[in-house]
Amino acid sequence: MLAGGPAALRGLWPGVPADRRWLLVLSVLAILAALIATRLSDAVEPTVAHRSCGGLVHSRRTVRRLAALFAVDAFAGGFTAQAFLVFWFTREYGATAQLMAVVFFAAGLLQAASSVVAGRLGERIGLLNTMVFTHLPANLLLAAIPFMPALPIAVILLLVRSALSQMDVPARQAYVVTMVDPGERTAAAAYTNTARYAARPVAPLAAVALMQFPWIGLPFLAAAGLRIAYDLTLYTLFRHARPMSDQARAYGHQPC
């Protein structure tokens, strides 16, 4: 918003600076976030008595399966990165970078609000159901965007999709820690997040290859198709899985 918003608001504030050094605000905020992280106390870590005796032990198989699925989801997300969306909307509808900055700003607000809603929804229908049943319609909307006849309709679909697509993020993070021993939560988060971060950067290369075809909407379909497959596989594999706390009570299992 800070990078593209000033030009979009020039009609209301003619003297607003258009310098692209507004982008540096992102770096400043990132540094500030890192400083805040250093202020966290040991209370955010498991107590010494419940820490794992070394990495993943009892939950290794579960974490590996989740990490593989999350990697597919992240890879699919890389097909429709923001840079691609700006390029596509500009080429197909003549949208300006300033307009897309405002669109992404609105999308960010919707995603932030959806995170709060996701927490309450997870309490009502369960974390796995929240992950899958919000992600599926979001991906169907993503697949529909390249077929829209006009810019306003495509933007509306993108915003509705944004409101749904990130609801699985807090649910996913909470789901991971419920499926492992308390002492293995840090390791589980490290494995699953690393899988996502390692897979996502590869997708833009594949997206560029798809864009060589006559129709440049193929990355939308590739992203949506992979993510729908991820949703269905995740639900199939884990719909009967029980949280680790329930397993411990049932079998008398204790973390090492």
Side-chain angles (χ1 to χ4, degrees):
M1 182 63 172
L2 288 173
L9 299 175
R10 193 166 298 282
L12 299 176
W13 182 16
V16 62
D19 197 323
R20 294 182 181 178
R21 282 178 290 185
W22 285 100
L23 282 168
L24 295 175
V25 174
L26 178 62
S27 301
V28 173
L29 292 177
I31 294 173
L32 179 61
L35 293 176
I36 293 175
T38 64
R39 305 285 295 178
L40 295 174
S41 71
D42 291 338
V44 301
E45 296 286 357
T47 58
V48 175
H50 292 103
R51 286 180 185 169
S52 171
C53 53
L56 297 173
V57 181
H58 305 108
S59 54
R60 182 180 294 118
R61 182 170 180 267
T62 297
V63 171
R64 285 178 175 175
R65 295 168 78 182
L66 288 172
L69 288 170
F70 295 165
V72 172
D73 180 47
F75 176 75
F79 278 91
T80 53
Q82 284 191 353
F84 167 76
L85 292 176
V86 172
F87 168 78
W88 187 86
F89 272 87
T90 300
R91 175 164 173 172
E92 292 297 303
Y93 302 115
T96 64
Q98 291 75 29
L99 171 63
M100 295 309 298
V102 176
V103 170
F104 287 134
F105 175 72
L109 293 179
L110 291 172
Q111 291 171 358
S114 71
S115 295
V116 178
V117 176
R120 298 187 178 185
L121 188 61
E123 293 177 349
R124 287 181 174 271
I125 67 173
L127 295 173
L128 182 63
N129 290 338
T130 300
M131 293 164 62
V132 174
F133 296 131
T134 60
H135 215 226
L136 270 174
N139 293 321
L140 293 175
L141 290 172
L142 180 65
I145 289 175
F147 299 101
M148 294 301 100
L151 175 62
I153 302 176
V155 167
I156 290 173
L157 285 188
L158 180 63
L159 291 177
V160 176
R161 184 252 175 186
S162 298
L164 294 172
S165 65
Q166 296 300 305
M167 290 183 72
D168 76 308
V169 175
R172 180 181 69 236
Q173 294 169 341
Y175 185 75
V176 169
V177 299
T178 63
M179 297 302 292
V180 301
D181 283 338
E184 297 180 11
R185 289 174 179 174
T186 301
Y191 276 100
T192 53
N193 286 325
T194 299
R196 293 185 59 83
Y197 295 143
R200 188 177 178 88
V202 182
L205 299 176
V208 170
L210 290 178
M211 290 167 61
Q212 306 309 309
F213 289 87
W215 188 53
I216 64 170
L218 284 177
F220 285 99
L221 299 186
L226 284 172
R227 284 188 148 177
I228 289 173
Y230 152 78
D231 291 327
L232 297 178
T233 304
L234 178 68
Y235 188 73
T236 300
L237 292 179
F238 288 94
R239 70 183 187 277
H240 297 306
R242 301 172 61 185
M244 184 61 72
S245 57
D246 291 349
Q247 297 178 40
R249 285 193 293 269
Y251 301 108
H253 169 72
Q254 296 293 329
C256 64

